[in-house]
Amino acid sequence: MALTYLHPVRFAIAVLLTASGCQQSTNPELDTSEDLYFSSFESDADSAGWSGYGGGWFDQDAPPDGGARSLRVSGGCIVPHFSRRVVAPAVPCSVSLTFWGKNLALGGGVSLRPTDGVGPEIQVSVQETDWTRYRSASRIHCRPGDTLVLDLISGGIIYGAMRVDLLEVRIDE
């Protein structure tokens, strides 16, 4: 099975252009959506289904209410560094992306896109050096059973690293 990925230059440009499209949630308790995918990276089993061309390591550092571990992502020029597929439910829906991120060195990005490349993508840049909750302002509208790709990218020609935790692809009401 061939793994589709974002070209590093395209991803970097998109992150710069859409960084303002991401907002930091101020009240997570008001969020009433449900999870299509969720991981807190607390156990080795949480890496099941992920692949990529870089590194994903568990670190003993986590955001508030994030348990004890998070995923550290870093890699070289070939991307994505960590990637997985997520299948939408059997009914039409809209999905968004929510996670905690921490910039360790030049940050990185988390993206969600349709596998067929048709339609919008969600791209969120991890820039803050303290644990920060990120939530995409945009959504992807899915047809029943669509497959989405969740990519984590940090690094390339120049070293970069980030931590990600409490990663959610959310079905929005």
Side-chain angles (χ1 to χ4, degrees), residues 40 42 59-70 102 131 163 165:
S40 66
E42 288 302 306
D59 275 352
Q60 298 297 318
D61 182 21
D65 299 322
R69 299 187 340 172
S70 62
K102 185 176 187 179
W131 280 110
R163 287 191 179 112
D165 202 15

Side-chain angles (χ1 to χ4, degrees), residues 115-136:
T115 350
D116 62 10
V118 176
E121 300 176 14
I122 295 173
Q123 298 178 344
V124 180
S125 177
V126 176
Q127 299 175 358
E128 300 299 321
T129 56
D130 292 323
W131 280 110
T132 303
R133 187 168 190 256
Y134 294 92
R135 179 172 184 169
S136 63

Side-chain angles (χ1 to χ4, degrees), residues 73-146:
V73 178
S74 183
C77 297
I78 301 174
V79 295
H81 297 133
F82 220 51
S83 181
R84 76 166 292 127
R85 293 176 185 256
V86 177
V87 178
V91 295
C93 65
S94 294
V95 298
S96 62
L97 188 59
T98 302
F99 64 94
W100 284 80
K102 185 176 187 179
N103 172 357
L104 300 176
L106 298 179
V110 178
S111 68
L112 182 67
R113 61 187 166 77
T115 350
D116 62 10
V118 176
E121 300 176 14
I122 295 173
Q123 298 178 344
V124 180
S125 177
V126 176
Q127 299 175 358
E128 300 299 321
T129 56
D130 292 323
W131 280 110
T132 303
R133 187 168 190 256
Y134 294 92
R135 179 172 184 169
S136 63
S138 58
R139 290 171 174 70
I140 294 177
H141 301 288
C142 299
R143 297 174 306 245
D146 274 355

Side-chain angles (χ1 to χ4, degrees), residues 23 26 53 62 158 164:
Q23 63 188 24
T26 56
Y53 299 102
I158 300 172
V164 174

